[in-house]
Amino acid sequence: MKGKLILGAGVAIGYVLGSRSGRQSYERLKARSKDVWSSPAVQQQVSHAQEAVKAQAPVVAEQVVHAAKQVADKATHRGDDRQLENAGSGI
């Protein structure tokens, strides 16, 4: 029983100390990442990325439409092929 109490106390102390230092580390990381995100160099790259996405959006949309049509055509032809197979087998 004494061992369980010591273990419980150790876990509680470790949790309290760990959460305090963990919170401080988290706050430091949060502040650093905010500083990096706000920097002019990063924001310039974000702007370039947004422009590139906007420029490629119509191309990607056309490719998606084309791919969707191909899938629909394949599905339609498979359905036709299965109907022919079923008709030929008497099912």
Side-chain angles (χ1 to χ4, degrees):
M1 185 69 178
K2 184 178 176 182
K4 289 182 181 181
L5 288 175
I6 292 173
L7 177 65
V11 168
I13 291 170
Y15 175 77
V16 170
L17 294 176
S19 64
R20 286 183 185 162
S21 66
R23 183 67 182 184
Q24 290 170 351
S25 297
Y26 168 75
E27 291 298 333
R28 281 194 305 266
L29 179 63
K30 183 178 166 184
R32 285 185 201 159
S33 57
K34 186 176 179 180
D35 290 342
V36 169
W37 181 255
S38 300
S39 74
V42 170
Q43 287 303 310
Q44 184 179 13
Q45 293 301 319
V46 168
S47 177
H48 289 317
Q50 287 174 337
E51 290 171 12
V53 168
K54 286 179 185 177
Q56 291 300 314
V59 175
V60 172
E62 181 62 33
Q63 291 174 345
V64 168
V65 168
H66 180 70
K69 286 180 182 178
Q70 286 181 332
V71 169
D73 288 343
K74 285 182 181 180
T76 301
H77 291 306
R78 284 186 184 165
D80 293 343
D81 292 343
R82 288 185 183 149
Q83 286 178 355
L84 291 175
E85 289 174 7
N86 292 339
S89 64
I91 296 178

